[in-house]
Amino acid sequence: METKNIRVFFSKTGRAIYISHLDLYRLFQRSIKRSKLPVWETEGFNPHVYITFALPLALGTAGICESLDLKLTEEICREELISRFNDALPRDIRVTDAAEPVMKPTEIALSEYEARFECDNAAFAEFLSSEHIMTEKKTKRGIAELDLKEHLSILGQSDGYLRFTFPSGTEFNINAGLLFDAFEKQTGTEIYTLRITRTAIKCRNGENFH
Amino acid sequence: MTYKDKLDRILLKVQKPSRYIGGELNSVEKDPAKVTMRFAFCFPDTYDIGMSHLGMKILYSLINEVPGYWCERVYMPLPDMEEQMRKNDILLYGLESLQPIKDADFIGFTLQYELSFSNILAMLDLAGLPVYAKDRPDLTPIVCAGGPCVCNAEPIADFVDLCILGEGEEVNLELMRLLEQCKAEGTDKHEFLVRAAKIEGIYVPSLYEIEYNDDCTIKSITPSEGAPCKVRKRIIKDFDRVFYPETFVVPFSEIVHDRAVVEVLRGCIRGCRFCQAGYLYRPFREKTVETIEKETISLCESTGYDEVSLTSLSTSDHSEIERMLGTLANYSDAARVNLSLPSLRIDSFSKELVDRIKSVRKSGLTFAPEAGTQRLRDVINKNITEENVMNSCRIAFEGGYNAVKLYFMLGLPTETMEDIDGIADLCQKIIDLFYSIENRPKGGIKISVSLSTFIPKPFTPFQFEPQPTEDVIRERQKHLMEVVNKKRVTVSRSHFDVTHLEAALARGDRRLSAVIYAAWKKGCKLDGWTEYYKYDKWMEAFKECGIDPAFYVNRPRSYDEIMPWDHMDVLLTKEFLIRENMQAHEARPTPNCRKACAGCGVNKCVGRPCFDYS
Ligand code: SF4
């Protein structure tokens, strides 16, 4: 069957940030079924809609440039695809765009985040300027020491606000939340109402993933 | 700070946070400024369980169809969430508005099993409300309860303001209109309750006085202020046209029954004498194949579920089951959804049909003979014969199955060790049958036997019967283990601790409110969960209140004893229950309702015979 690859861009905000990656996968499968869009399904005893996500988003983090790939079995215009998706999705997940994929998910290098939070501002500024920000990260081989500072680049900063990037991708990935966990742990103080949004996904060549 | 902000602070600290935030597909959001009645619909168990419950889905959609009425879902948080809520001053809230339910007009609990009673207290407390009805003087929120357990709501009588007896599809809205009117008139709570008690199906416990005899049995039940002597349950007469939701809320996370569900019939013709549902949901009413098909398609399309299941007490008894399954299988093949049919009696269907329905293949073969000998099956009126079981097993084995699951009950009235031997014998016959089949599947046969304990329930012919004591039950369990073929049969047993409490609560009276309160104070909640159930605390609570559970559990009750639920009229006569009880003791079965009417009384109230017997 002739199929066409499509990359669907969506946002995941509000109440939807608590949907785990696995549940998001099931959610999109059902939504596609609901939308009756001509999306290619796998063959076999238990056929299912074939979709792949470019990059998982950590539980609790919002995203405005998330994407998934699927195959269409019929030509369908961009506007219709978007509106049929949105009719079938819960309120806090919105499809924003759809296009033929250009880059491969393996080219993804980093994510840009925006965080708004309430905490002891002086302590946070001091924390950010320290030479190392050591934390532990779960890897396949167990727990490893990791210096967050080494991977962090700050794009903008004011009281209760931080714009920054962390490495992302299939090889190496740091969840944005780790930075704030590390702060709480190191200073023994609490962060209130932390809201993190992934605002961009960048490839190795510096371009936005699209 | 809004509740959403507060929740954002804690949700990443709890397991599976998406079940505490709402916003799922098809959940209903309304503009609070335009809402005149807010109904907080509480399922007194966790989200994963409550979200699977069909009755709640029906009433949720029904109420939300009314402009200005807003029904929200509320579930019991697990301990990790409760701890965070308490630490951060978050009161129990509705998943739609994320606003505290104490500000709702109604807080309605659906009571599906007795072990959820303590959760009512836990949830009221988390909502920031006093648990005793008498300590909530304001008109709103009105705390009400519905569901099968309110056929004997006495154990929770002190906590709820009113109960809704029977099917809620019509009466719920009547009740909401009344409250809306009372709010406008500025009447007080008492006046509202007195007026509510005049609606058919509404039971206001505080309007009834109970007097006791010296032996602790009930002497009299006296209504006051115009409340009816007998509260008559509500039923939907035109079941084919009863409201059914076009869509379900689709949860983000996986829940127990994560699929579309269509109710094909209500009631049951079988009359198994231990089965409360079989009596409570009378009369038998079914939907037409066309209605079932329409509802199936609408639900699948609006939810995106790829599995739909048909539900009822006994789907095989639908008068047009073959045509129904054929029609639905055509749809499910075309739409690529799985059709699943729990508890189908496969011996009554053509093989092609069984083969077409995938889940029958998936879930394996289950039977519920409930008792080991024909004599005892006649006592309980379970009309499965050994021949039925053997025929179905043969079909199944020849079709490639090699696992069978059998359900039995221990402690049934008149049961002896011979009946226990009967269980082992039946297993052995199935094993022998398996090995006598030439083209049997490879690998040996596996039988799993699940043993539950008989619990006498109100409004069944066994409401007069005692539950055997712990020693007797244990002895019978032990005996079965000695006689059963252990190589091929695995036996799982229910926990005595749990059935014991369930038995006490099921046939309890108002004095148990104090026990439930004491147990809850000792930390009892989520009693349906093995990991949270605290039997010793419950027993302490009984003791402190000076009440012996054996009074409710192990005592035979005479036919003329006033039962705590005698002022409830579920449309069955007591004479009928007594007649059935006598027949049981003579091991005489009663034909199913389609064959002959046993005269339970329901037809008189409906005003026509249940079936066309001509
Ligand atoms: S009235 Fe007769 S047919 Fe109807 S439910 Fe009762 S026993 Fe069955």
Side-chain angles (χ1 to χ4, degrees):
Chain A
M1 198 192 302
E2 190 91 5
T3 60
K4 190 176 167 201
N5 290 331
I6 293 287
R7 183 158 293 160
V8 176
F9 292 88
F10 63 95
S11 62
K12 182 177 184 258
T13 58
R15 300 186 188 198
I17 64 171
Y18 298 105
I19 304 172
S20 70
H21 189 63
L22 189 70
D23 289 340
L24 188 70
Y25 179 79
R26 294 185 322 122
L27 182 150
F28 266 102
Q29 290 212 316
R30 280 179 190 158
S31 301
I32 288 168
K33 199 132 188 151
R34 238 167 81 83
S35 72
K36 293 196 178 158
L37 283 163
V39 176
W40 184 76
E41 292 188 16
T42 61
E43 316 280 332
F45 179 68
N46 200 0
H48 57 273
V49 175
Y50 182 78
I51 47 174
T52 51
F53 289 86
L55 185 66
L57 182 63
L59 192 74
T61 301
I64 54 172
C65 54
E66 303 304 306
S67 66
L68 63 86
D69 291 358
L70 50 79
K71 291 179 168 61
L72 287 180
T73 56
E74 276 167 45
E75 211 41 74
I76 193 158
C77 79
R78 176 180 163 275
E79 285 71 26
E80 190 184 341
L81 186 87
I82 294 175
S83 80
R84 275 170 68 179
F85 248 118
N86 282 335
D87 287 343
L89 283 163
R91 285 175 291 273
D92 288 346
I93 295 180
R94 295 286 90 188
V95 165
T96 52
D97 202 358
E100 254 180 89
V102 178
M103 289 146 164
K104 289 202 200 83
T106 45
E107 294 173 56
I108 293 172
L110 45 89
S111 293
E112 232 174 81
Y113 298 97
E114 215 175 70
R116 289 172 200 280
F117 47 92
E118 280 166 54
C119 69
D120 179 340
N121 290 321
F124 193 79
E126 195 191 314
F127 163 80
L128 273 189
S129 60
S130 53
E131 206 172 315
H132 302 284
I133 301 177
M134 299 310 293
T135 187
E136 284 172 347
K137 187 180 188 298
K138 269 183 242 143
T139 68
K140 279 173 209 130
R141 260 166 266 117
I143 292 180
E145 280 271 288
L146 180 73
D147 185 357
L148 291 177
K149 192 62 190 274
E150 210 178 287
H151 302 286
L152 172 75
S153 62
I154 295 172
L155 308 176
Q157 183 182 0
S158 60
D159 282 355
Y161 174 83
L162 187 69
R163 217 157 72 77
F164 63 101
T165 68
F166 260 158
S168 271
T170 38
E171 295 285 296
F172 183 62
N173 199 65
I174 300 180
N175 284 347
L178 279 186
L179 182 68
F180 300 90
D181 292 345
F183 169 73
E184 287 192 323
K185 219 165 162 191
Q186 255 176 50
T187 59
T189 61
E190 229 183 300
I191 295 185
Y192 303 107
T193 53
L194 172 64
R195 290 180 203 278
I196 310 175
T197 306
R198 175 147 73 190
T199 51
I201 296 174
K202 302 259 179 203
C203 290
R204 250 168 274 145
N205 63 5
E207 268 185 62
N208 279 340
F209 176 73
H210 65 278
Chain B
M1 201 191 279
T2 66
Y3 259 53
K4 171 73 172 49
D5 290 334
K6 284 192 179 191
L7 288 167
D8 279 334
R9 278 171 61 174
I10 64 168
L11 282 179
L12 287 181
K13 298 177 186 162
V14 303
Q15 291 288 315
K16 291 216 267 169
S18 68
R19 56 187 158 175
Y20 299 117
I21 192 71
E24 307 94 325
L25 181 69
N26 301 329
S27 61
V28 178
E29 244 160 75
K30 294 201 177 186
D31 176 1
K34 293 190 186 127
V35 169
T36 52
M37 275 281 119
R38 228 181 110 206
F39 194 107
F41 201 143
C42 301
F43 192 97
D45 213 315
T46 59
Y47 179 92
D48 306 41
I49 294 174
M51 274 292 286
S52 305
H53 184 250
L54 180 61
M56 184 160 179
K57 295 180 205 268
I58 295 177
L59 295 174
Y60 177 81
S61 300
L62 176 89
I63 297 172
N64 280 324
E65 287 224 330
V66 182
Y69 286 12
W70 195 6
C71 181
E72 299 197 60
R73 294 160 300 141
V74 188
Y75 303 96
M76 175 80 183
L78 280 168
D80 63 339
M81 181 63 178
E82 174 170 353
E83 188 195 324
Q84 290 297 333
M85 286 169 68
R86 289 198 187 275
K87 253 206 245 163
N88 293 280
D89 299 318
I90 298 175
L91 297 173
L92 194 61
Y93 54 90
L95 288 180
E96 278 67 16
S97 67
L98 303 183
Q99 292 298 313
I101 62 167
K102 72 169 172 37
D103 302 325
D105 298 291
F106 281 100
I107 296 181
F109 288 93
T110 176
L111 301 179
Q112 301 296 318
Y113 29 87
E114 292 81 2
L115 291 178
S116 64
F117 286 173
S118 61
N119 289 345
I120 301 177
L121 282 68
M123 288 175 81
L124 287 175
D125 184 58
L126 259 175
L129 291 165
V131 298
Y132 277 107
K134 64 174 166 45
D135 299 330
R136 297 186 303 260
D138 296 343
L139 177 60
T140 61
I142 292 289
V143 176
C144 55
C149 288
V150 302
C151 74
N152 179 26
E154 293 310 287
I156 53 152
D158 289 354
F159 311 116
V160 296
D161 298 313
L162 62 86
C163 297
I164 300 160
L165 189 64
E167 295 164 348
E169 280 106 331
E170 292 165 350
V171 64
N172 267 36
L173 294 179
E174 290 167 31
L175 198 61
M176 291 177 77
R177 272 180 232 122
L178 177 68
L179 183 60
E180 207 177 359
Q181 193 187 336
C182 285
K183 267 175 85 173
E185 288 172 23
T187 56
D188 65 3
K189 179 174 172 178
H190 182 74
E191 173 63 22
F192 165 76
L193 291 176
V194 169
R195 286 203 219 170
K198 300 205 165 73
I199 300 178
E200 191 175 78
I202 300 298
Y203 169 49
V204 178
S206 58
L207 298 181
Y208 293 78
E209 200 182 337
I210 319 287
E211 275 188 284
Y212 300 92
N213 295 310
D214 291 341
D215 65 359
C216 287
T217 56
I218 291 172
K219 187 172 171 200
S220 64
I221 302 172
T222 319
S224 62
E225 311 223 33
C229 298
K230 284 216 172 221
V231 179
R232 180 179 261 218
K233 89 164 180 191
R234 291 290 287 259
I235 50 164
I236 302 298
K237 291 197 177 153
D238 189 353
F239 183 63
D240 191 48
R241 275 196 256 149
V242 69
F243 175 85
Y244 202 74
E246 275 165 26
T247 192
F248 286 176
V249 176
V250 184
F252 294 135
S253 55
E254 248 170 311
I255 56 169
V256 183
H257 298 296
D258 211 1
R259 59 180 89 97
V261 181
V262 175
E263 189 185 20
V264 298
L265 57 89
R266 233 178 246 185
C268 182
I269 61 171
R270 300 279 154 188
C272 300
R273 291 179 178 132
F274 55 84
C275 174
Q276 189 184 41
Y279 292 93
L280 279 186
Y281 294 113
R282 286 174 183 221
F284 178 88
R285 290 148 294 164
E286 54 185 38
K287 286 181 185 166
T288 59
V289 174
E290 287 64 37
T291 303
I292 293 165
E293 185 191 17
K294 191 184 92 215
E295 290 175 356
T296 304
I297 296 173
S298 146
L299 270 183
C300 288
E301 295 200 336
S302 66
T303 57
Y305 273 126
D306 59 6
E307 185 177 355
V308 59
S309 104
L310 302 182
T311 182
S312 76
L313 291 173
S314 177
T315 300
S316 318
D317 287 328
H318 193 282
S319 58
E320 291 197 275
I321 179 77
E322 286 265 347
R323 185 164 80 87
M324 173 171 82
L325 294 182
T327 308
L328 293 181
N330 287 343
Y331 166 71
S332 70
D333 286 352
R336 296 221 199 185
V337 295
N338 285 323
L339 182 60
S340 75
L341 301 152
S343 69
L344 207 69
R345 304 167 79 117
I346 71 164
D347 59 331
S348 52
F349 296 114
S350 60
K351 195 172 171 309
E352 299 95 276
L353 195 61
V354 174
D355 284 347
R356 281 183 73 183
I357 296 153
K358 285 181 180 154
S359 68
V360 178
R361 220 176 308 163
K362 213 167 36 183
S363 60
L365 199 55
T366 53
F367 296 100
E370 305 293 359
T373 59
Q374 193 57 47
R375 182 201 69 82
L376 192 53
R377 286 195 290 273
D378 288 341
V379 168
I380 63 177
N381 204 35
K382 182 85 203 187
N383 55 356
I384 287 187
T385 61
E386 196 172 295
E387 203 191 326
N388 295 146
V389 175
M390 290 302 160
N391 282 343
S392 301
C393 284
R394 180 181 293 278
I395 299 173
F397 294 154
E398 283 170 351
Y401 285 96
N402 63 346
V404 181
K405 188 159 188 180
L406 299 171
Y407 290 91
F408 292 98
M409 240 179 232
L410 279 192
L412 287 161
T414 78
E415 182 182 79
T416 65
M417 282 304 182
E418 242 169 69
D419 300 302
I420 312 294
D421 291 333
I423 297 176
D425 291 346
L426 186 62
C427 291
Q428 194 54 48
K429 281 183 189 153
I430 295 173
I431 296 168
D432 295 345
L433 172 77
F434 180 83
Y435 287 104
S436 74
I437 292 174
E438 254 169 56
N439 56 344
R440 63 175 177 263
K442 289 207 182 61
I445 178 178
K446 282 187 216 78
I447 299 181
S448 49
V449 164
S450 163
L451 284 184
S452 62
T453 305
F454 164 65
I455 299 175
K457 295 264 167 128
F459 296 110
T460 67
F462 290 160
Q463 66 174 8
F464 310 100
E465 301 292 334
Q467 187 185 55
T469 58
E470 181 170 4
D471 294 344
V472 174
I473 299 285
R474 286 201 196 285
E475 201 195 350
R476 291 184 191 168
Q477 288 176 343
K478 205 172 122 229
H479 182 75
L480 180 68
M481 298 312 285
E482 281 160 10
V483 292
V484 82
N485 179 338
K486 276 195 263 320
K487 204 167 144 226
R488 298 277 166 220
V489 184
T490 51
V491 181
S492 63
R493 289 170 274 188
S494 62
H495 287 279
F496 179 80
D497 293 4
V498 180
T499 44
H500 185 225
L501 177 64
E502 197 182 325
L505 294 174
R507 291 188 301 162
D509 55 35
R510 242 171 229 211
R511 286 168 295 191
L512 291 190
S513 285
V515 178
I516 296 172
Y517 180 80
W520 167 67
K521 275 278 166 197
K522 291 173 184 297
C524 292
K525 60 187 168 201
L526 291 167
D527 293 311
W529 296 67
T530 347
E531 59 265 56
Y532 304 118
Y533 182 56
K534 301 184 181 81
Y535 180 62
D536 49 335
K537 295 282 174 219
W538 271 102
M539 290 305 116
E540 270 176 35
F542 271 101
K543 214 174 192 164
E544 280 169 25
C545 297
I547 290 177
D548 180 0
F551 174 76
Y552 300 102
V553 179
N554 310 115
R555 181 176 60 89
R557 305 186 190 199
S558 70
Y559 292 150
D560 54 13
E561 178 176 332
I562 297 177
M563 302 289 177
W565 52 90
D566 270 358
H567 51 317
M568 298 299 116
D569 175 7
V570 300
L571 315 186
L572 311 169
T573 63
K574 199 164 183 179
E575 294 72 49
F576 165 72
L577 295 178
I578 293 171
R579 210 160 59 229
E580 280 291 303
N581 183 276
M582 290 170 160
Q583 297 230 50
H585 282 277
E586 292 161 19
R588 272 198 309 171
T590 297
N592 76 51
C593 291
R594 193 171 266 143
K595 282 197 186 131
C597 172
C600 72
V602 159
N603 52 354
K604 293 216 178 72
C605 305
V606 182
R608 58 177 150 80
C610 297
F611 295 95
D612 181 6
Y613 296 105
S614 57

